[in-house]
Amino acid sequence: MATYLITGANRGIGYEFCRQLQARGETAIAVCRRAAEDLQQLGVQVEEGIDITSDASVAELRNRLEDRVIDVLINNAGILKRVTLENLDFDSIREQFEVNALGALRVTHALLPNLKAGSKIVLMTSRMGRPKAA
Ligand SMILES: NC(=O)c1ccc[n+]([C@@H]2O[C@H](COP(=O)([O-])OP(=O)(O)OC[C@H]3O[C@@H](n4cnc5c(N)ncnc54)[C@H](OP(=O)(O)O)[C@@H]3O)[C@@H](O)[C@H]2O)c1
């Protein structure tokens, strides 16, 4: 059995990762900004108060984990806001890069000491991460 760390575990796909991993006997560490009732009742380890856009917040996560080994790091936290070429919103685009790209990089970099040889890093992608055919 392996230890998984999942960001954005509060709801959606991240929560479902935690639920299914827990059900099959894996160890899930659920990382979120604020734990919803469902997540609190799942019985997994919850690390609350972590915003992946904040260096200090992610450093706090690293401190809490101490020397815990993570076998699979799932960078799942993300946002999707619709922006079109005709209706550009640079602030929104910056925010999405900050969470989706730099946030995942920040978490991965901070938790490198918790990864061992053979550990896996998962990057959840989205429509923001690939060009759309015209
Ligand atoms: N749903 C789809 O069809 C789909 C398709 C392709 C890819 N994806 C990707 O899969 C991932 C999960 O999608 P989802 O549908 O489950 O999304 P979701 O329901 O909107 O959940 C997103 C999660 O990310 C967290 N999050 C957002 N900003 C954060 C931040 N700054 N710091 C920490 N956590 C943050 C949210 O936390 P809060 O609860 O605190 O807001 C939430 O737990 C995303 O990366 C998304 O791009 C989804």
Side-chain angles (χ1 to χ4, degrees):
M1 293 299 151
T3 297
Y4 291 70
L5 183 142
I6 305 102
T7 64
N10 186 49
R11 57 188 160 93
I13 295 170
Y15 169 79
E16 186 61 17
F17 269 131
C18 293
R19 194 188 68 75
Q20 292 198 24
L21 288 167
Q22 164 85 339
R24 73 178 200 200
E26 313 280 359
T27 299
I29 303 173
V31 176
C32 59
R33 293 190 283 201
R34 196 146 60 90
E37 187 73 23
D38 285 349
L39 181 62
Q40 286 172 351
Q41 290 180 359
L42 210 50
V44 302
Q45 177 181 337
V46 177
E47 296 299 341
E48 201 174 5
I50 307 299
D51 187 322
I52 66 165
T53 64
S54 156
D55 287 340
S57 190
V58 173
E60 165 67 16
L61 173 64
R62 160 77 189 118
N63 285 339
R64 288 187 208 169
L65 291 172
E66 299 181 330
D67 58 357
R68 193 82 178 273
V69 170
I70 298 164
D71 298 297
V72 186
L73 165 59
I74 303 181
N75 285 293
N76 166 76
I79 54 173
L80 175 61
K81 299 193 172 175
R82 303 202 182 270
V83 181
T84 64
L85 257 187
E86 296 77 18
N87 193 13
L88 270 187
D89 179 345
F90 283 104
D91 287 340
S92 175
I93 292 170
R94 276 191 202 94
E95 183 189 6
Q96 294 182 74
F97 273 104
E98 188 59 51
V99 178
N100 299 345
L102 301 185
L105 195 56
R106 181 179 288 108
V107 171
T108 302
H109 179 253
L111 301 191
L112 278 179
N114 299 93
L115 305 177
K116 59 175 189 193
S119 289
K120 295 182 173 59
I121 300 166
V122 178
L123 297 167
M124 292 289 284
T125 182
S126 74
R127 288 170 61 182
M128 280 303 295
R130 65 174 165 80
K132 191 178 172 196

